[in-house]
Amino acid sequence: MALTEDLDLFLNTDEMAVSAVSGAITGNVILDMPGETVAGGMVISTEYMATAKTEEFGGLLYGDGITVNGINYQVREVMLIDDGKFCQISLSKLAPPATAPGGQPREFGLADLADVTLTNPQQGDMLINDGATFVNTPEVNGGGA
């Protein structure tokens, strides 16, 4: 006797799934946003991953636009999970208003960073939070042996 499974049970919006749209594709996904501290504790990074049915979102390609729970993202990679019924979509969050779902993402530059003030930026400068914004500095003061 063949075993049948209802994949929609795993993507129930009454539990933890949210809606997603990419072009003409609409479905539910589970959005994970685990944080990670890198660079010796100086930077906190967020990895955006959506788990979805492969038959709905498995055909997305690098650079495709997708809106998850009203937020625009760009697809970085799509990976099959286990038996291939589900996939994990690695995402980059886009700054609003970046692009419509399914559209081509726009290029971002330093002017898109609203909380960064650059003064005569030089190669090797670091961004340091001065309590209000991020500012560039050629070195980190303090420390020492």
Side-chain angles (χ1 to χ4, degrees):
M1 173 182 230
L3 205 58
T4 60
E5 56 189 352
D6 183 1
L7 300 180
D8 290 324
L9 292 175
F10 297 100
L11 300 171
N12 184 344
T13 55
D14 290 335
E15 297 293 329
M16 60 185 156
V18 295
S19 65
V21 177
S22 180
I25 304 167
T26 302
N28 294 333
V29 302
I30 297 172
L31 182 64
D32 291 316
M33 299 179 289
E36 179 182 5
T37 304
V38 295
M42 294 187 65
V43 177
I44 298 175
S45 175
T46 302
E47 180 74 23
Y48 299 97
M49 298 287 286
T51 303
K53 288 194 285 188
T54 300
E55 68 182 359
E56 291 176 350
F57 293 101
L60 293 177
L61 301 173
Y62 175 83
D64 284 345
I66 183 171
T67 300
V68 179
N69 203 27
I71 306 292
N72 289 336
Y73 297 88
Q74 178 181 358
V75 174
R76 292 174 37 211
E77 184 177 17
V78 177
M79 300 159 285
L80 298 180
I81 303 173
D82 298 328
D83 65 357
K85 302 273 183 172
F86 287 101
C87 61
Q88 274 195 323
I89 308 164
S90 177
L91 304 168
S92 294
K93 190 174 183 181
L94 298 176
T99 184
Q104 293 300 314
R106 70 180 178 97
E107 295 294 320
F108 291 94
L110 293 175
D112 292 300
L113 302 173
D115 60 347
V116 175
T117 302
L118 296 178
T119 306
N120 191 23
Q122 301 294 316
Q123 182 175 351
D125 278 3
M126 298 180 69
L127 286 178
I128 305 294
N129 189 299
D130 69 0
T133 63
F134 286 90
V135 295
N136 61 307
T137 182
E139 60 186 69
V140 177
N141 295 324

